[in-house]
Amino acid sequence: MGSVTDEALMDLFCQGDHSAFEALFGRHAGRVHGFLARMVRDGPLAEDLMQTTFLSVIRARGRYEPGTRFTPWLLTIAANAARDALRHQQHVDAHAHAPPEGLTSVPAPESDPVLRRRIEDALQQLPLEQREAVVLSKLEGWSFEEIAEMRGIRAGAARLRAHRGYEKLRELLGGLEEV
């Protein structure tokens, strides 16, 4: 099923072809996990949320509309799962101040673990909507139009969220040349 589009695979899965789902999982599990790991900064939680995301795909297949772009639909499900988990975590950990441990997969200078940690910490300090826009645009390579479509907002709003996130990262990271 290598040359079949994601949308065609999802259509096949909606018609009961379970091998199509396996193909979609194989294509997207790594990307979804990486996205979630950067959003929640907790490797085991990201793994759980990835499983939750794909379970939601199974459950929502009856609501998938043919012609819908699969990747934005999938990452919308993943982003919503991350938002829910972070809200729950903030509620449960309302008095904890320590950042969560884990996440070694954020793309950052591999040769400088101190810099990598600084970037990870700064990213986590962004408001969730800004963090999501920065992660999707800079780390996932999405256009602002794609982010807007995923979040149900205008492209200008997605661009503004990312811009505010970049500005906050520059402020948090101080002397670094470029974020």
mmCIF file of all heavy atoms in Angstrom, residues 77-110:
data_model
loop_
_atom_site.group_PDB
_atom_site.id
_atom_site.type_symbol
_atom_site.label_atom_id
_atom_site.label_comp_id
_atom_site.label_asym_id
_atom_site.label_seq_id
_atom_site.Cartn_x
_atom_site.Cartn_y
_atom_site.Cartn_z
ATOM 1 N N ILE A 77 -6.637 15.378 16.164
ATOM 2 C CA ILE A 77 -6.983 14.409 17.215
ATOM 3 C C ILE A 77 -5.846 14.339 18.237
ATOM 4 O O ILE A 77 -6.081 14.372 19.448
ATOM 5 C CB ILE A 77 -7.284 13.026 16.614
ATOM 6 C CG1 ILE A 77 -8.561 13.081 15.764
ATOM 7 C CG2 ILE A 77 -7.413 11.964 17.708
ATOM 8 C CD1 ILE A 77 -8.810 11.838 14.924
ATOM 9 N N ALA A 78 -4.609 14.265 17.755
ATOM 10 C CA ALA A 78 -3.448 14.194 18.651
ATOM 11 C C ALA A 78 -3.322 15.464 19.488
ATOM 12 O O ALA A 78 -3.072 15.397 20.699
ATOM 13 C CB ALA A 78 -2.172 13.949 17.845
ATOM 14 N N ALA A 79 -3.498 16.620 18.858
ATOM 15 C CA ALA A 79 -3.388 17.895 19.583
ATOM 16 C C ALA A 79 -4.457 17.996 20.661
ATOM 17 O O ALA A 79 -4.188 18.461 21.778
ATOM 18 C CB ALA A 79 -3.499 19.069 18.607
ATOM 19 N N ASN A 80 -5.659 17.555 20.344
ATOM 20 C CA ASN A 80 -6.729 17.583 21.343
ATOM 21 C C ASN A 80 -6.417 16.654 22.508
ATOM 22 O O ASN A 80 -6.677 16.987 23.667
ATOM 23 C CB ASN A 80 -8.075 17.238 20.708
ATOM 24 C CG ASN A 80 -8.576 18.354 19.810
ATOM 25 O OD1 ASN A 80 -8.202 19.506 19.954
ATOM 26 N ND2 ASN A 80 -9.424 18.003 18.872
ATOM 27 N N ALA A 81 -5.848 15.498 22.216
ATOM 28 C CA ALA A 81 -5.457 14.563 23.283
ATOM 29 C C ALA A 81 -4.376 15.194 24.158
ATOM 30 O O ALA A 81 -4.418 15.083 25.391
ATOM 31 C CB ALA A 81 -4.966 13.245 22.686
ATOM 32 N N ALA A 82 -3.406 15.879 23.530
ATOM 33 C CA ALA A 82 -2.346 16.543 24.294
ATOM 34 C C ALA A 82 -2.917 17.660 25.159
ATOM 35 O O ALA A 82 -2.555 17.793 26.337
ATOM 36 C CB ALA A 82 -1.276 17.102 23.349
ATOM 37 N N ARG A 83 -3.814 18.454 24.595
ATOM 38 C CA ARG A 83 -4.441 19.543 25.359
ATOM 39 C C ARG A 83 -5.183 18.991 26.573
ATOM 40 O O ARG A 83 -5.065 19.521 27.671
ATOM 41 C CB ARG A 83 -5.421 20.317 24.485
ATOM 42 C CG ARG A 83 -4.780 21.209 23.480
ATOM 43 C CD ARG A 83 -5.848 21.752 22.501
ATOM 44 N NE ARG A 83 -5.260 22.653 21.564
ATOM 45 C CZ ARG A 83 -5.205 23.970 21.727
ATOM 46 N NH1 ARG A 83 -5.721 24.522 22.796
ATOM 47 N NH2 ARG A 83 -4.641 24.725 20.814
ATOM 48 N N ASP A 84 -5.959 17.937 26.354
ATOM 49 C CA ASP A 84 -6.698 17.324 27.461
ATOM 50 C C ASP A 84 -5.746 16.822 28.536
ATOM 51 O O ASP A 84 -5.980 17.025 29.731
ATOM 52 C CB ASP A 84 -7.576 16.178 26.964
ATOM 53 C CG ASP A 84 -8.752 16.645 26.122
ATOM 54 O OD1 ASP A 84 -9.053 17.861 26.121
ATOM 55 O OD2 ASP A 84 -9.365 15.789 25.453
ATOM 56 N N ALA A 85 -4.683 16.156 28.133
ATOM 57 C CA ALA A 85 -3.716 15.612 29.095
ATOM 58 C C ALA A 85 -3.022 16.737 29.863
ATOM 59 O O ALA A 85 -2.825 16.630 31.077
ATOM 60 C CB ALA A 85 -2.685 14.743 28.384
ATOM 61 N N LEU A 86 -2.657 17.811 29.168
ATOM 62 C CA LEU A 86 -1.988 18.922 29.839
ATOM 63 C C LEU A 86 -2.927 19.631 30.810
ATOM 64 O O LEU A 86 -2.515 20.020 31.904
ATOM 65 C CB LEU A 86 -1.419 19.904 28.812
ATOM 66 C CG LEU A 86 -0.211 19.379 28.040
ATOM 67 C CD1 LEU A 86 0.135 20.311 26.891
ATOM 68 C CD2 LEU A 86 0.986 19.179 28.957
ATOM 69 N N ARG A 87 -4.180 19.797 30.418
ATOM 70 C CA ARG A 87 -5.151 20.398 31.340
ATOM 71 C C ARG A 87 -5.306 19.526 32.587
ATOM 72 O O ARG A 87 -5.326 20.030 33.702
ATOM 73 C CB ARG A 87 -6.510 20.566 30.648
ATOM 74 C CG ARG A 87 -6.567 21.765 29.762
ATOM 75 C CD ARG A 87 -7.992 22.007 29.265
ATOM 76 N NE ARG A 87 -7.939 22.811 28.073
ATOM 77 C CZ ARG A 87 -8.254 22.391 26.858
ATOM 78 N NH1 ARG A 87 -8.690 21.185 26.663
ATOM 79 N NH2 ARG A 87 -8.155 23.200 25.831
ATOM 80 N N HIS A 88 -5.413 18.225 32.369
ATOM 81 C CA HIS A 88 -5.549 17.300 33.495
ATOM 82 C C HIS A 88 -4.299 17.352 34.369
ATOM 83 O O HIS A 88 -4.390 17.403 35.598
ATOM 84 C CB HIS A 88 -5.802 15.879 32.988
ATOM 85 C CG HIS A 88 -5.883 14.866 34.083
ATOM 86 N ND1 HIS A 88 -6.965 14.776 34.921
ATOM 87 C CD2 HIS A 88 -5.006 13.910 34.484
ATOM 88 C CE1 HIS A 88 -6.754 13.810 35.804
ATOM 89 N NE2 HIS A 88 -5.572 13.271 35.555
ATOM 90 N N GLN A 89 -3.135 17.358 33.736
ATOM 91 C CA GLN A 89 -1.870 17.394 34.468
ATOM 92 C C GLN A 89 -1.760 18.689 35.274
ATOM 93 O O GLN A 89 -1.334 18.672 36.422
ATOM 94 C CB GLN A 89 -0.717 17.262 33.483
ATOM 95 C CG GLN A 89 0.637 17.123 34.116
ATOM 96 C CD GLN A 89 1.714 16.922 33.072
ATOM 97 O OE1 GLN A 89 1.722 17.598 32.050
ATOM 98 N NE2 GLN A 89 2.610 15.995 33.323
ATOM 99 N N GLN A 90 -2.170 19.812 34.687
ATOM 100 C CA GLN A 90 -2.114 21.088 35.402
ATOM 101 C C GLN A 90 -3.062 21.074 36.595
ATOM 102 O O GLN A 90 -2.747 21.608 37.649
ATOM 103 C CB GLN A 90 -2.466 22.243 34.469
ATOM 104 C CG GLN A 90 -1.372 22.557 33.483
ATOM 105 C CD GLN A 90 -1.795 23.563 32.435
ATOM 106 O OE1 GLN A 90 -2.962 23.928 32.332
ATOM 107 N NE2 GLN A 90 -0.839 24.005 31.639
ATOM 108 N N HIS A 91 -4.193 20.456 36.413
ATOM 109 C CA HIS A 91 -5.164 20.367 37.500
ATOM 110 C C HIS A 91 -4.611 19.504 38.637
ATOM 111 O O HIS A 91 -4.659 19.887 39.797
ATOM 112 C CB HIS A 91 -6.490 19.797 36.989
ATOM 113 C CG HIS A 91 -7.512 19.614 38.048
ATOM 114 N ND1 HIS A 91 -8.164 20.687 38.629
ATOM 115 C CD2 HIS A 91 -7.999 18.504 38.642
ATOM 116 C CE1 HIS A 91 -9.000 20.232 39.544
ATOM 117 N NE2 HIS A 91 -8.929 18.914 39.570
ATOM 118 N N VAL A 92 -4.077 18.346 38.285
ATOM 119 C CA VAL A 92 -3.551 17.417 39.287
ATOM 120 C C VAL A 92 -2.290 17.969 39.944
ATOM 121 O O VAL A 92 -2.102 17.866 41.154
ATOM 122 C CB VAL A 92 -3.267 16.039 38.645
ATOM 123 C CG1 VAL A 92 -2.509 15.141 39.594
ATOM 124 C CG2 VAL A 92 -4.568 15.394 38.202
ATOM 125 N N ASP A 93 -1.428 18.586 39.152
ATOM 126 C CA ASP A 93 -0.144 19.080 39.662
ATOM 127 C C ASP A 93 -0.179 20.581 39.952
ATOM 128 O O ASP A 93 0.837 21.256 39.818
ATOM 129 C CB ASP A 93 0.970 18.806 38.650
ATOM 130 C CG ASP A 93 1.168 17.330 38.380
ATOM 131 O OD1 ASP A 93 0.833 16.530 39.268
ATOM 132 O OD2 ASP A 93 1.666 16.993 37.290
ATOM 133 N N ALA A 94 -1.308 21.086 40.371
ATOM 134 C CA ALA A 94 -1.468 22.529 40.555
ATOM 135 C C ALA A 94 -0.401 23.124 41.476
ATOM 136 O O ALA A 94 0.013 24.262 41.293
ATOM 137 C CB ALA A 94 -2.852 22.842 41.091
ATOM 138 N N HIS A 95 0.083 22.355 42.436
ATOM 139 C CA HIS A 95 1.054 22.891 43.376
ATOM 140 C C HIS A 95 2.480 22.438 43.104
ATOM 141 O O HIS A 95 3.397 22.843 43.818
ATOM 142 C CB HIS A 95 0.647 22.514 44.802
ATOM 143 C CG HIS A 95 -0.700 23.047 45.152
ATOM 144 N ND1 HIS A 95 -0.932 24.381 45.330
ATOM 145 C CD2 HIS A 95 -1.890 22.424 45.310
ATOM 146 C CE1 HIS A 95 -2.201 24.565 45.608
ATOM 147 N NE2 HIS A 95 -2.802 23.400 45.597
ATOM 148 N N ALA A 96 2.679 21.608 42.113
ATOM 149 C CA ALA A 96 4.031 21.141 41.790
ATOM 150 C C ALA A 96 4.700 22.155 40.876
ATOM 151 O O ALA A 96 4.084 22.703 39.992
ATOM 152 C CB ALA A 96 3.976 19.780 41.118
ATOM 153 N N HIS A 97 5.971 22.391 41.096
ATOM 154 C CA HIS A 97 6.688 23.371 40.277
ATOM 155 C C HIS A 97 7.766 22.744 39.414
ATOM 156 O O HIS A 97 8.335 23.413 38.571
ATOM 157 C CB HIS A 97 7.321 24.442 41.172
ATOM 158 C CG HIS A 97 6.309 25.206 41.946
ATOM 159 N ND1 HIS A 97 5.434 26.094 41.366
ATOM 160 C CD2 HIS A 97 5.999 25.194 43.262
ATOM 161 C CE1 HIS A 97 4.645 26.609 42.272
ATOM 162 N NE2 HIS A 97 4.959 26.080 43.447
ATOM 163 N N ALA A 98 8.055 21.489 39.613
ATOM 164 C CA ALA A 98 9.116 20.834 38.849
ATOM 165 C C ALA A 98 8.628 20.497 37.455
ATOM 166 O O ALA A 98 7.526 19.990 37.289
ATOM 167 C CB ALA A 98 9.568 19.565 39.557
ATOM 168 N N PRO A 99 9.419 20.775 36.430
ATOM 169 C CA PRO A 99 9.020 20.385 35.081
ATOM 170 C C PRO A 99 9.054 18.864 34.949
ATOM 171 O O PRO A 99 9.828 18.201 35.634
ATOM 172 C CB PRO A 99 10.081 21.029 34.179
ATOM 173 C CG PRO A 99 11.258 21.234 35.064
ATOM 174 C CD PRO A 99 10.729 21.413 36.461
ATOM 175 N N PRO A 100 8.191 18.307 34.082
ATOM 176 C CA PRO A 100 8.189 16.864 33.902
ATOM 177 C C PRO A 100 9.508 16.371 33.326
ATOM 178 O O PRO A 100 10.161 17.067 32.562
ATOM 179 C CB PRO A 100 7.038 16.611 32.923
ATOM 180 C CG PRO A 100 6.710 17.926 32.335
ATOM 181 C CD PRO A 100 7.225 18.982 33.256
ATOM 182 N N GLU A 101 9.887 15.186 33.714
ATOM 183 C CA GLU A 101 11.111 14.570 33.200
ATOM 184 C C GLU A 101 10.821 13.886 31.874
ATOM 185 O O GLU A 101 9.684 13.615 31.536
ATOM 186 C CB GLU A 101 11.634 13.535 34.194
ATOM 187 C CG GLU A 101 12.107 14.145 35.496
ATOM 188 C CD GLU A 101 13.250 15.130 35.315
ATOM 189 O OE1 GLU A 101 14.178 14.824 34.555
ATOM 190 O OE2 GLU A 101 13.194 16.212 35.909
ATOM 191 N N GLY A 102 11.872 13.542 31.156
ATOM 192 C CA GLY A 102 11.697 12.766 29.935
ATOM 193 C C GLY A 102 12.044 13.566 28.706
ATOM 194 O O GLY A 102 12.761 14.550 28.756
ATOM 195 N N LEU A 103 11.509 13.170 27.620
ATOM 196 C CA LEU A 103 11.662 13.741 26.295
ATOM 197 C C LEU A 103 13.113 13.997 25.921
ATOM 198 O O LEU A 103 13.727 14.951 26.368
ATOM 199 C CB LEU A 103 10.888 15.030 26.098
ATOM 200 C CG LEU A 103 10.910 15.503 24.635
ATOM 201 C CD1 LEU A 103 10.308 14.446 23.753
ATOM 202 C CD2 LEU A 103 10.211 16.794 24.461
ATOM 203 N N THR A 104 13.605 13.105 25.126
ATOM 204 C CA THR A 104 14.938 13.296 24.591
ATOM 205 C C THR A 104 14.880 13.456 23.083
ATOM 206 O O THR A 104 15.904 13.489 22.431
ATOM 207 C CB THR A 104 15.829 12.086 24.936
ATOM 208 O OG1 THR A 104 15.209 10.913 24.415
ATOM 209 C CG2 THR A 104 16.026 11.968 26.424
ATOM 210 N N SER A 105 13.653 13.572 22.521
ATOM 211 C CA SER A 105 13.545 13.581 21.067
ATOM 212 C C SER A 105 13.291 14.956 20.466
ATOM 213 O O SER A 105 13.026 15.054 19.294
ATOM 214 C CB SER A 105 12.422 12.634 20.628
ATOM 215 O OG SER A 105 11.191 13.084 21.133
ATOM 216 N N VAL A 106 13.340 16.043 21.261
ATOM 217 C CA VAL A 106 13.140 17.361 20.681
ATOM 218 C C VAL A 106 14.348 17.697 19.820
ATOM 219 O O VAL A 106 15.476 17.639 20.295
ATOM 220 C CB VAL A 106 12.958 18.436 21.780
ATOM 221 C CG1 VAL A 106 13.011 19.823 21.179
ATOM 222 C CG2 VAL A 106 11.663 18.219 22.504
ATOM 223 N N PRO A 107 14.098 18.021 18.537
ATOM 224 C CA PRO A 107 15.227 18.373 17.695
ATOM 225 C C PRO A 107 15.893 19.648 18.201
ATOM 226 O O PRO A 107 15.273 20.679 18.284
ATOM 227 C CB PRO A 107 14.608 18.597 16.315
ATOM 228 C CG PRO A 107 13.292 17.932 16.359
ATOM 229 C CD PRO A 107 12.859 17.965 17.793
ATOM 230 N N ALA A 108 17.116 19.551 18.589
ATOM 231 C CA ALA A 108 17.909 20.677 19.052
ATOM 232 C C ALA A 108 19.362 20.275 18.844
ATOM 233 O O ALA A 108 19.641 19.129 18.512
ATOM 234 C CB ALA A 108 17.617 20.956 20.514
ATOM 235 N N PRO A 109 20.279 21.189 19.051
ATOM 236 C CA PRO A 109 21.683 20.829 18.839
ATOM 237 C C PRO A 109 22.079 19.595 19.644
ATOM 238 O O PRO A 109 22.134 19.627 20.860
ATOM 239 C CB PRO A 109 22.427 22.088 19.300
ATOM 240 C CG PRO A 109 21.445 23.194 19.119
ATOM 241 C CD PRO A 109 20.105 22.583 19.412
ATOM 242 N N GLU A 110 22.344 18.513 18.936
ATOM 243 C CA GLU A 110 22.665 17.233 19.570
ATOM 244 C C GLU A 110 23.953 17.298 20.362
ATOM 245 O O GLU A 110 24.112 16.613 21.356
ATOM 246 C CB GLU A 110 22.786 16.123 18.512
ATOM 247 C CG GLU A 110 21.499 15.846 17.765
ATOM 248 C CD GLU A 110 20.379 15.343 18.659
ATOM 249 O OE1 GLU A 110 20.653 14.612 19.625
ATOM 250 O OE2 GLU A 110 19.230 15.695 18.394
#
